[in-house]
Amino acid sequence: MGKYGKGDTKWFQHDRFGMFIHWGLYSMPARHEWFKSRSFVRDEDYQIYFDLFNPDLFAPKAWAKSAKAAGMKYFVITTKHHEGFCLWDSQYTDYKITNTPFGRDALREIVDAFRAEGLRVGLYYSLIDWHHPDFTIDQNHPLRDLPAKERDKLNAAKDMHRYAQYMRDQVTELLTQYGKIDILWFDFSYPKPEGADPADDWKWKGKDDWESEELVKLIRSLQPGIILDNRLNLPDEADLTTPEQYLPSQPMVDADGKPLVWEGCHTFSGSWGYHRDETTWKTPKQCIDLLVNLVSAGGNLLMNVGPTSRGYLDYRAEERLAAYAEWMKFNSRSIYGCGPAPAEFVPPQDCRYTYDPETKRLYLHLLVWPFKSIHLPGLAGKVKYAQLLQDGSEILRREGALHLAATTPEGCLTLDLPVPPPPGINPVIELFLK
Ligand code: GLC
């Protein structure tokens, strides 16, 4: 529990699966949302995207429908990413969507569309801002290539305290004008490492720069139950740990061994923002593996889409969302309300367990379909019924030998499986524990 309160994470750990949406001006260059920084783009050269931004095929209702069909229960949208562009009609900046040719408050339409589909609302807000005049040039900034003298001179005229106030003002807008917000996702801190050379002090930013403490106090007063992520460099106030593009194999715990509430965030390809030429797209199977792997280790999956600059989800994203939809239609019971299995149950090779403690059902996820039978250690005498989740067909089980077939090893339960794999990705077997 933080000094100022604590988020309501019960629904979050039940729902397990959300959609991340990265959408901003960077969808136009379509070369990664860090394009401005990576290519050292100056404000005057980046301006063309702002001047021309006009997503004529913007269809938040379609995004929301795809998310819902995929089984996602909440979403997190970039209200402002590192480029500083705001998706809502903020009164604290002109660098906002309502001043582009598009002219509408996209955030409001997105929030309304997702709420209408029954999804909970999360807002991502970038601590980093490569457009705000008071945000000092640091190691990630597009102007970091300037000679030190010039950089220091520019930085001397900037005032991070004013920027921190700007953030509080904007967060106040977001938390008072869009109804109940379930998650607030700040991104991110890079505090000075111990022993760093003082000559490098310009490079870092952390809780003192963001004035995180004051920010948290404000947030908890405006939306008491909101879930706060852990990127404000104020670990005691965080509700949510956010491993990024990484797959922990065990439930995550804090320094004292206490279980953490955590969520893995992942992309379909390597980029968060729309990236036309990105080629490292995950297969539908890899996408489903991710969900299963994360939930079996006690985490959530926040899976990202980067809509195009015309405002729709491109076919590669839609294909993968459709794969989730197909899989979740039959197997969502092994995800919602589920977490890791009791430690005594160790899954066999190429398998994962998820477990619903309410119904006492254990789900065996077969990432590779085994040949004819599978032995489940520790489950002898503990299962009253087993079925293929997909079609509810009984799976035969035994604890001894079958004709000439291998005998069940000590303590194991053996399931006899059809030789041809059932259709679809990663079949699940539902085990009703006694
Ligand atoms: C990183 C990146 C960013 C992305 C985020 C998602 O911190 O800076 O582009 O939005 O991860 O977790």
Side-chain angles (χ1 to χ4, degrees):
M1 173 102 172
K3 243 196 279 177
Y4 306 106
K6 185 178 178 331
D8 166 18
T9 51
K10 196 158 181 264
W11 69 266
F12 183 81
Q13 288 196 296
H14 175 275
D15 288 356
R16 290 299 184 206
F17 191 23
M19 175 182 268
F20 215 169
I21 306 174
H22 276 68
W23 200 46
L25 297 179
Y26 45 79
S27 63
M28 292 179 74
R31 276 166 274 170
H32 201 279
E33 76 285 352
W34 274 65
F35 160 69
K36 188 178 185 191
S37 164
R38 289 184 178 176
S39 299
F40 306 95
V41 183
R42 299 334 197 205
D43 279 343
E44 46 291 14
D45 298 317
Y46 208 72
Q47 186 61 24
I48 187 76
Y49 306 120
F50 182 88
D51 292 343
L52 297 179
F53 189 74
N54 197 1
D56 60 324
L57 299 176
F58 178 55
K61 288 185 183 150
W63 304 359
K65 280 198 166 39
S66 294
K68 186 184 182 168
M72 293 157 164
K73 295 283 198 184
Y74 61 97
F75 79 108
V76 179
I77 170 89
T78 53
T79 59
K80 176 189 91 161
H81 202 262
H82 309 338
E83 65 181 1
F85 176 68
C86 297
L87 278 193
W88 80 102
D89 190 13
S90 172
Q91 61 166 296
Y92 299 100
T93 182
D94 292 330
Y95 202 52
K96 58 181 175 181
I97 194 160
T98 42
N99 288 343
T100 67
F102 182 63
R104 283 148 52 191
D105 182 334
L107 180 63
R108 185 161 313 278
E109 294 183 39
I110 294 167
V111 167
D112 288 350
F114 278 78
R115 273 215 188 100
E117 292 293 339
L119 278 84
R120 297 217 190 215
V121 180
L123 303 181
Y124 168 111
Y125 184 92
S126 174
L127 298 164
I128 301 170
D129 194 315
W130 300 326
H131 182 268
H132 195 283
D134 282 314
F135 189 91
T136 52
I137 302 165
D138 60 24
Q139 59 172 342
N140 299 313
H141 197 281
L143 297 182
R144 67 190 175 284
D145 60 332
L146 289 178
K149 248 190 155 159
E150 215 178 310
R151 181 193 68 222
D152 292 345
K153 198 171 149 218
L154 284 174
N155 276 350
K158 295 174 183 287
D159 180 352
M160 277 301 286
H161 178 63
R162 256 192 329 239
Y163 176 69
Q165 183 60 50
Y166 172 74
M167 292 205 290
R168 287 193 291 273
D169 289 338
Q170 288 209 316
V171 164
T172 301
E173 286 183 324
L174 292 170
L175 298 189
T176 55
Q177 296 175 15
Y178 294 85
K180 179 168 185 243
I181 305 301
D182 299 287
I183 304 169
L184 193 54
W185 223 101
F186 286 107
D187 194 32
F188 62 81
S189 300
Y190 33 102
K192 181 176 175 175
E194 221 161 300
D197 185 341
D200 285 343
D201 275 357
W202 65 279
K203 287 188 175 172
W204 324 108
K205 283 192 176 74
K207 58 177 184 314
D208 296 337
D209 303 283
W210 318 131
E211 301 179 9
S212 295
E213 186 101 22
E214 242 188 283
L215 194 52
V216 170
K217 203 155 95 186
L218 172 72
I219 293 159
R220 298 281 191 217
S221 75
L222 294 174
Q223 297 254 1
I226 203 165
I227 297 175
L228 250 191
D229 78 340
N230 65 336
R231 297 189 179 190
L232 277 167
N233 186 214
L234 210 58
D236 291 348
E237 300 300 329
D239 301 307
L240 179 61
T241 300
T242 56
E244 176 175 330
Q245 311 263 36
Y246 170 71
L247 200 60
S249 55
Q250 298 289 327
M252 294 185 81
V253 291
D254 66 12
D256 305 322
K258 279 215 323 281
L260 287 165
V261 178
W262 63 277
E263 171 192 68
C265 51
H266 289 264
T267 54
F268 282 141
S269 70
S271 176
W272 299 89
Y274 178 65
H275 192 317
R276 184 191 56 213
D277 304 332
E278 166 66 54
T279 54
T280 60
W281 286 73
K282 295 174 184 73
T283 63
K285 164 139 172 77
Q286 286 179 300
C287 294
I288 289 164
D289 283 354
L290 266 178
L291 178 62
V292 171
N293 277 312
L294 287 163
V295 176
S296 73
N300 284 31
L301 170 59
L302 185 62
M303 185 44 106
N304 181 72
V305 297
T308 63
S309 75
R310 294 195 65 187
Y312 63 88
L313 302 179
D314 96 318
Y315 69 99
R316 294 163 293 189
E318 288 288 15
E319 261 167 33
R320 283 154 184 83
L321 289 170
Y324 277 127
E326 180 66 14
W327 191 84
M328 285 293 275
K329 177 174 167 190
F330 299 110
N331 297 306
S332 66
R333 212 146 88 196
S334 66
I335 299 296
Y336 302 142
C338 290
E344 55 183 306
F345 304 134
V346 179
Q349 202 178 9
D350 301 325
C351 297
R352 301 289 182 274
Y353 281 136
T354 58
Y355 178 64
D356 185 335
E358 296 264 306
T359 59
K360 285 181 54 185
R361 292 186 196 176
L362 182 64
Y363 297 93
L364 172 67
H365 298 258
L366 299 153
L367 307 190
V368 176
W369 187 249
F371 177 64
K372 255 167 113 175
S373 58
I374 189 162
H375 306 301
L376 308 179
L379 279 168
K382 299 207 167 130
V383 172
K384 68 176 177 217
Y385 189 71
Q387 63 181 1
L388 182 64
L389 184 52
Q390 199 172 93
D391 63 357
S393 62
E394 183 170 12
I395 295 291
L396 297 181
R397 44 187 213 285
R398 62 190 161 87
E399 290 172 19
L402 175 76
H403 310 299
L404 300 171
T407 309
T408 303
E410 185 68 28
C412 287
L413 173 75
T414 299
L415 303 179
D416 287 315
L417 303 170
V419 171
I425 293 167
N426 294 355
V428 180
I429 292 171
E430 185 174 44
L431 301 161
F432 296 64
L433 300 189
K434 282 182 185 163

